[in-house]
Amino acid sequence: MKAENLKPNIILQGPIFPEPVQVILVVPRGDSIKIIGKGLKTGKVHEAMRLALAYEYDPFFTLSIARVDPLPHQLEAVYDYFLKIPCIRFLLAGDPGAGKTIMAGLLIKELKIRGLIKRTLIVTPANLSFQWQREMKDKFREDFEIIRSDILRATYGSNSWQERNQVVTSVSWVSRIEDAKESLLRSHWDLIIVDEAHKMSAYSADKKTLAYQLGESLSKMTDHYLLMTATPHKGDPQNFCLFLELLDKDVYGDVKSLEAAMARREAPFYLRRIKEALVTFPDPDTGQVKMLFTKRHVQTTEFQIDDDEWDFYDGLTRYVEDQSIKAAQDDSARGRALGFTMAKDQ
């Protein structure tokens, strides 16, 4: 129903009302319309906003209120995959440049419009926290607060996580600082999004990193859990199985079942987007599409590393994460330079 057809005395019914209602008053409120109606069954007065009904009449309603021009693969991921799953537990594996933040922002807006989420947590590498905050604000008009150690210190005695509905935080900081992790685990979220989620990979079932343990805890704290990464598979099927267990421990019984599903392109909860497959919308005159990126020529070279090399890699990763946290807390020119250096090393 169009806005101009919302008038007193008409009957409305739908998921936004607990019963059919007869409209009493329609009040314009900027981009929204406040509707006051009387329940036909109980006689109670109900209020609602027309904006909350919009998605029923326009399945792409978010696009009209967001400042983005999405590409075909971004719309496909959100509207053909994510929103068709009652409980979103998904791994989005997209190459750099695929626009994972746009897909995440569209998902957040759509779920909020549908009244399915209120509290959203975005977990990122430390050097990407401000970028996520800025893009959610600029492109989707969504205000997210970054929670770091200074916030927790300033609000000692209360749970900053639970008191804020939209938060961005650092995976390395939360996973390694016990007080931060402990207070986070006492909160609950409707949607959790993890960027650069491959940093939560585990070497083996008995050698789980702190980040992986955090990923397991986060999985239990939410209904909707979206992992995003450009490098989901490290060439080790067992490692990949453990990674997918963050979404659902019962998806695959063993490595063979995972490999069979991947070969059939029927792996649930998993969507791969490589640059060679990303195209524009069809030309309105010719119907032709253009590739967004030039074709790559990839050659895989196998190698083995021993325990000492794994220890060195893990130590170097921790060092980079520590420096990224320090850079995120330092807004000086030196801090920004350090953050840029650490971003290139990750």
Side-chain angles (χ1 to χ4, degrees):
M1 180 179 294
K2 295 183 179 180
E4 57 266 27
N5 295 328
L6 290 172
K7 299 178 181 179
N9 296 322
I10 68 169
I11 307 300
L12 296 178
Q13 57 183 347
I16 196 169
F17 293 112
E19 60 179 321
V21 300
Q22 181 177 19
V23 175
I24 300 174
L25 187 64
V26 178
V27 184
R29 290 286 182 86
D31 294 334
S32 305
I33 296 175
K34 183 179 180 180
I35 304 168
I36 301 176
K38 180 180 180 180
L40 297 182
K41 295 180 179 179
T42 65
K44 293 182 178 180
V45 175
H46 302 282
E47 294 184 13
M49 297 297 289
R50 171 63 176 80
L51 180 62
L53 293 169
Y55 76 89
E56 294 187 12
Y57 310 99
D58 181 1
F60 298 100
F61 178 70
T62 288
L63 302 182
S64 66
I65 58 176
R67 300 170 179 171
V68 295
D69 293 314
L71 293 163
H73 67 277
Q74 296 166 346
L75 296 180
E76 180 189 30
V78 175
Y79 294 96
D80 291 346
Y81 285 88
F82 301 161
L83 293 178
K84 291 186 176 181
I85 306 174
C87 185
I88 300 171
R89 317 283 291 188
F90 214 92
L91 170 60
L92 176 61
D95 280 351
K100 292 189 287 294
T101 55
I102 290 178
M103 290 181 263
L106 288 174
L107 177 62
I108 291 170
K109 296 293 285 189
E110 289 289 353
L111 291 179
K112 289 186 68 174
I113 287 172
R114 286 160 166 76
L116 297 176
I117 66 170
K118 182 178 180 181
R119 294 175 47 75
T120 299
L121 173 68
I122 299 176
V123 184
T124 79
N127 59 295
L128 297 180
S129 297
F130 288 105
Q131 178 181 325
W132 270 92
Q133 182 189 47
R134 183 178 64 251
E135 293 204 13
M136 289 299 104
K137 176 65 174 179
D138 294 346
K139 295 178 179 177
F140 299 98
R141 300 181 177 90
E142 293 292 339
D143 293 315
F144 278 79
E145 184 168 350
I146 297 176
I147 288 189
R148 303 175 300 184
S149 57
D150 56 335
I151 298 294
L152 293 188
R153 288 195 300 268
T155 57
Y156 182 79
S158 61
N159 191 331
S160 297
W161 306 101
Q162 192 61 35
E163 292 175 353
R164 293 161 172 80
N165 285 332
Q166 298 195 150
V167 169
V168 179
T169 197
S170 161
V171 59
S172 54
W173 172 65
V174 174
S175 64
R176 298 178 59 191
I177 305 302
E178 193 60 34
D179 289 347
K181 181 178 179 180
E182 190 273 334
S183 58
L184 173 60
L185 297 185
R186 287 189 281 106
S187 61
H188 179 271
W189 303 89
D190 303 315
L191 168 66
I192 296 179
I193 297 173
V194 182
D195 189 20
E196 301 290 327
H198 60 274
K199 295 181 181 295
M200 288 183 171
S201 295
Y203 304 129
S204 64
D206 57 355
K207 192 177 181 182
K208 297 179 179 178
T209 63
L210 293 175
Y212 186 88
Q213 294 174 45
L214 174 63
E216 288 183 306
S217 298
L218 294 177
S219 181
K220 301 173 184 177
M221 296 167 56
T222 184
D223 293 327
H224 304 299
Y225 197 30
L226 177 62
L227 306 181
M228 303 194 305
T229 177
T231 54
H233 202 302
K234 298 183 178 180
D236 181 352
Q238 183 61 48
N239 177 280
F240 191 49
C241 271
L242 287 170
F243 188 43
L244 289 180
E245 283 187 9
L246 292 176
L247 299 173
D248 190 326
K249 289 186 176 296
D250 301 320
V251 176
Y252 300 105
D254 52 33
V255 172
K256 290 185 178 179
S257 64
L258 170 60
E259 292 177 334
M262 296 288 288
R264 296 193 306 268
R265 297 182 182 275
E266 295 178 354
F269 316 134
Y270 176 63
L271 181 61
R272 185 75 170 108
R273 284 290 178 264
I274 59 175
K275 286 185 175 181
E276 286 80 0
L278 307 185
V279 297
T280 63
F281 283 104
D283 184 278
D285 297 322
T286 66
Q288 295 181 338
V289 299
K290 296 181 180 179
M291 294 182 61
L292 295 175
F293 299 93
T294 57
K295 188 175 181 179
R296 294 177 297 182
H297 298 279
V298 180
Q299 180 178 352
T300 301
T301 302
E302 295 185 358
F303 64 95
Q304 298 292 329
I305 61 176
D306 57 28
D307 291 342
D308 290 339
E309 289 171 321
W310 268 119
D311 290 341
F312 173 75
Y313 175 81
D314 186 51
L316 179 60
T317 300
R318 291 175 180 273
Y319 172 78
V320 172
E321 290 175 346
D322 286 341
Q323 296 304 310
S324 296
I325 292 172
K326 292 180 180 179
Q329 298 173 345
D330 185 354
D331 195 36
S332 67
R334 180 182 180 279
R336 291 191 291 272
L338 178 60
F340 176 75
T341 303
M342 292 301 105
K344 293 187 64 177
D345 289 339
Q346 292 190 57

